[in-house]
Amino acid sequence: NAGVTQTPKFQVLKTGQSMTLQCAQDMNHEYMSWYRQDPGMGLRLIHYSVGAGITDQGEVPNGYNVSRSTTEDFPLRLLSAAPSQTSVYFCASSYGGRAYEQYFGPGTRLTVT
Amino acid sequence: KNEVEQSPQNLTAQEGEFITINCSYSVGISALHWLQQHPGGGIVSLFMLSSGKKKHGRLIATINIQEKHSSLHITASHPRDSAVYICAVESFQGAQKLVFGQGTRLTINP
């Protein structure tokens, strides 16, 4: 199993550009989440999904869009990048809804200039 | 006040020392996670607890639900244990959403 994969690993965007961060898992996990990690702050939840076709907002959803058309994939879209979105983004998955081990992707380091 | 507080924020120790990292939380939880993040690296799950104590190699995690407190212990610490250790809790309410502490940066010197 590849586990949770994320692409790209690094990305530089100009303000106003859009892009999609890819996340995929091959463990047949129902739950998938996107987090951002900023210096001095804990990981914060952006969006999450409890299964294909079902998504919901987390703590910091503004400026981001998600969809879940398959169990395996959970892409995160930046609609119009802003410098405040400079961060490290992690995708995570777990088998079920409560008290299941979390599996994290390797992260995407995004810089918006 | 953050829902999840870790202490200390930074910890430097000598190889071989016994390490304790603390996590306190303010909400009712269904589970607590301890995670490890190496510099420039990804995040891996160390433990998930809902009660009692778990051990894996030199790592031990305990939780006291009544006191809303968990500890992560490392015995016979080694420089390769140097990493950021993160506590995260799942609240009772709603779907699985993790709330994270700010992390404890551990440095073990040889």
Side-chain angles (χ1 to χ4, degrees):
Chain A
N1 285 352
V4 181
T5 58
Q6 289 184 238
T7 56
K9 289 190 177 177
F10 301 94
Q11 183 70 50
V12 179
L13 289 179
K14 294 187 187 307
T15 297
Q17 287 184 318
S18 63
M19 78 159 295
T20 299
L21 307 185
Q22 300 292 344
C23 174
Q25 52 88 13
D26 60 359
M27 297 173 282
N28 203 31
H29 285 173
E30 289 295 326
Y31 279 72
M32 297 186 75
S33 307
W34 275 103
Y35 299 94
R36 60 178 289 172
Q37 186 177 41
D38 301 297
M41 305 185 73
L43 287 141
R44 292 182 292 169
L45 180 65
I46 304 170
H47 284 285
Y48 67 99
S49 169
V50 302
I54 306 169
T55 63
D56 205 348
Q57 296 181 351
E59 182 184 353
V60 287
N62 292 341
Y64 307 95
N65 207 355
V66 292
S67 60
R68 183 100 179 266
S69 56
T70 67
T71 299
E72 293 78 20
D73 299 297
F74 191 43
L76 178 73
R77 296 182 186 85
L78 279 69
L79 307 173
S80 177
S84 60
Q85 293 178 305
T86 294
S87 188
V88 181
Y89 291 85
F90 288 96
C91 178
S93 74
S94 64
Y95 180 75
R98 290 193 180 280
Y100 286 93
E101 183 177 354
Q102 297 285 305
Y103 293 81
F104 287 83
T108 294
R109 185 174 294 274
L110 175 68
T111 302
V112 182
T113 61
Chain B
K1 187 179 189 297
N2 293 336
E3 289 183 356
V4 181
E5 296 276 356
Q6 288 185 236
S7 63
Q9 291 188 341
N10 294 283
L11 178 57
T12 300
Q14 292 299 120
E15 182 173 356
E17 287 188 34
F18 181 82
I19 303 299
T20 296
I21 299 170
N22 297 299
C23 176
S24 296
Y25 52 92
S26 57
V27 297
I29 68 169
S30 54
L32 181 143
H33 300 255
W34 281 103
L35 310 167
Q36 181 192 57
Q37 184 175 28
H38 281 284
I43 300 168
V44 297
S45 175
L46 297 176
F47 295 103
M48 185 189 60
L49 298 163
S50 53
S51 65
K53 173 180 175 179
K54 286 190 176 179
K55 185 175 189 291
H56 184 250
R58 295 180 294 105
L59 273 60
I60 303 166
T62 63
I63 188 168
N64 186 318
I65 296 293
Q66 287 73 29
E67 295 187 2
K68 292 186 167 60
H69 182 268
S70 175
S71 293
L72 176 68
H73 306 286
I74 305 175
T75 62
S77 60
H78 190 276
R80 66 175 173 266
D81 297 325
S82 298
V84 175
Y85 292 85
I86 303 168
C87 172
V89 301
E90 294 180 34
S91 71
F92 278 133
Q93 297 176 340
Q96 184 195 59
K97 294 183 188 180
L98 293 181
V99 179
F100 295 80
Q102 293 190 354
T104 294
R105 184 175 301 277
L106 174 65
T107 303
I108 304 295
N109 293 320

